[in-house]
Amino acid sequence: ADAVLVAAAEADMVEADAALDELADILAGQDVAGLTSFIARVMYPAINPLRATIDRLAEQQDDAGKAIFDASLEVIREQTRWLAVGLVITALALFGAVWTARSRVVRPLEDMTRAMSAVAGGDLDHPVPSTERRDEIGALAQALSRFRRNAQKLRDDERHLRHLTEELRQARDRAEEATRAKSAFLAMM
């Protein structure tokens, strides 16, 4: 369509060039009446077809510009949709990372802190969480579990030692009583 319009414009330009040659002759002769007649007879009829062709070319260019604008707008809309999808995926990934960190690190450390506080407070029967894990938290839990077992053994040994001490004191008291009784018996004899 552009080529047809350009060809039509070139044909009109040939006529316009001929008219310009005639105008040049009129101007060279300084013929005012001839100039007035030339404008009415030649110029307006020559310019009007060019104007119509130029208007059609401008309209086509305007339509092409609108089509390019519409296509660009659609590309921008599509890119905006993909950007929104990317943002949603990023937000979901971030949420997943936070949730994973919370459930795999923070919560086990909070549980471990409670267990350590309980053991440090003397509750040696408090369970130690996460001992089955194969990471740093599991190593910490296993160390606390060993500490708790050693403290339980020490507590049990202290109880046993107190029990043996009490039995020894009672045996000593009985031996002293027997010695007094023997001394009193011997003194009576």
Side-chain angles (χ1 to χ4, degrees):
D2 286 345
V4 171
L5 286 174
V6 169
E10 287 175 352
D12 290 340
M13 289 298 288
V14 170
E15 289 179 28
D17 285 342
L20 286 176
D21 290 340
E22 184 181 342
L23 177 61
D25 292 340
I26 292 171
L27 290 175
Q30 296 182 348
D31 181 7
V32 175
L35 181 61
T36 304
S37 169
F38 175 80
I39 290 173
R41 176 179 50 81
V42 175
M43 286 301 286
Y44 286 134
I47 292 173
N48 284 339
L50 277 176
R51 185 170 163 233
T53 301
I54 290 171
D55 286 347
R56 285 193 305 272
L57 279 171
E59 191 176 294
Q60 282 186 350
Q61 290 299 315
D62 188 44
D63 290 345
K66 286 179 183 175
I68 290 170
F69 175 79
D70 290 344
S72 298
L73 190 59
E74 185 56 36
V75 167
I76 290 170
R77 285 182 181 139
E78 184 68 19
Q79 288 175 344
T80 302
R81 282 190 287 274
W82 281 110
L83 179 62
V85 167
L87 287 174
V88 167
I89 289 170
T90 301
L92 289 174
L94 183 60
F95 174 77
V98 168
W99 182 82
T100 299
R102 173 89 177 115
S103 65
R104 298 282 302 147
V105 177
V106 175
R107 193 171 298 128
L109 285 176
E110 288 172 344
D111 294 344
M112 188 62 57
T113 300
R114 280 191 290 279
M116 286 179 171
S117 295
V119 170
D123 183 4
L124 299 179
D125 296 321
H126 191 280
V128 177
S130 303
T131 55
E132 73 286 349
R133 289 180 62 146
R134 300 279 181 229
D135 58 5
E136 291 81 3
I137 293 173
L140 184 63
Q142 291 165 7
L144 178 61
S145 183
R146 282 191 302 274
F147 178 80
R148 185 181 66 123
R149 277 194 308 273
N150 290 339
Q152 286 171 334
K153 184 176 181 323
L154 183 60
R155 178 192 62 192
D156 294 344
D157 289 348
E158 285 175 351
R159 285 181 184 162
H160 185 67
L161 182 61
R162 278 194 304 273
H163 177 71
L164 290 177
T165 302
E166 180 60 28
E167 284 181 0
L168 189 58
R169 186 190 61 74
Q170 288 174 1
R172 185 190 68 207
D173 289 348
R174 282 192 305 272
E176 286 176 359
E177 182 63 35
T179 302
R180 279 192 299 274
K182 178 180 161 191
S183 293
F185 178 75
L186 287 176
M188 283 206 290
M189 272 204 151

